[in-house]
Amino acid sequence: MTNFLVSFLSLFGVAMSEPNSDSIVSRHGDVWLASQPSEADLDAWAAAGVGLVVNSRTPEETASLPFDMRAAAESRGMRYAELPIGGASGASPALTGELARLLAVSEGPVVLHCRSGTRSAHLYAAYLVTGDRALSTPFDTMNWPGGRDMGMVRALTPPPVE
């Protein structure tokens, strides 16, 4: 419904504003990197037309939240995916492939989040590097102000297709 409303309003020159959300750490086009959202953040994201929320927290971390992330995102009209990084989940290049698939079919902005945004930023950096192997500064490209570990990016980057 939210995507329909955003599209409908745009026909009349009305633009939805970006979310008023303290959890957004940085933006790269329609990909927004965030720390753990509250339910109020999810409300703001839905109002801004976010189509997909990607959670990079581990299942254990997500289970400890005071609300059900999947249900909360989906009840607001956003798709939800979990691409966990860390703990028993590790850091697999398969996550980057799944992120690429999700981004290819998403409509509207996409929010990637974890506790602080750092794991999500590394996953997105791996996605950027996979698309441009010559890219040596993915964190600068995506305006990421936080921690940067190119070893983690390499661990998440699939090998080149030959």
Side-chain angles (χ1 to χ4, degrees):
M1 179 67 177
T2 301
N3 287 337
F4 170 77
L5 181 60
V6 171
S7 298
F8 179 76
L9 291 174
S10 69
L11 292 173
F12 298 98
V14 177
M16 298 292 287
S17 63
E18 291 186 353
N20 180 14
S21 171
D22 292 335
S23 64
I24 301 294
V25 178
S26 71
R27 293 178 175 84
H28 182 238
D30 274 348
V31 175
W32 303 344
L33 301 164
S35 60
Q36 174 60 51
S38 66
E39 290 190 83
D41 291 321
L42 295 174
D43 290 335
W45 298 352
V50 168
L52 172 65
V53 175
V54 178
N55 178 1
S56 295
R57 298 191 82 177
T58 66
E60 297 79 18
E61 290 175 300
T62 301
S64 72
L65 295 174
F67 61 95
D68 181 327
M69 270 298 299
R70 177 180 300 281
E74 291 177 349
S75 72
R76 290 162 172 84
M78 298 178 287
R79 291 178 43 236
Y80 177 82
E82 291 182 353
L83 300 178
I85 300 171
S89 301
S92 168
L95 296 170
T96 305
E98 181 62 13
L99 177 62
R101 187 192 70 72
L102 289 168
L103 292 176
V105 298
S106 292
E107 294 181 22
V110 173
V111 178
L112 282 71
H113 83 86
C114 55
R115 187 186 60 77
S116 67
T118 301
R119 285 175 280 180
S120 294
H122 284 76
L123 178 60
Y124 187 59
Y127 165 80
L128 293 174
V129 168
T130 300
D132 179 0
R133 298 289 173 162
L135 183 61
S136 63
T137 58
F139 295 105
D140 291 340
T141 298
M142 59 197 237
N143 305 310
W144 178 249
R148 301 167 180 218
D149 180 353
M150 286 306 291
M152 172 71 86
V153 173
R154 284 188 293 278
L156 290 163
T157 304
V161 178
E162 298 190 26

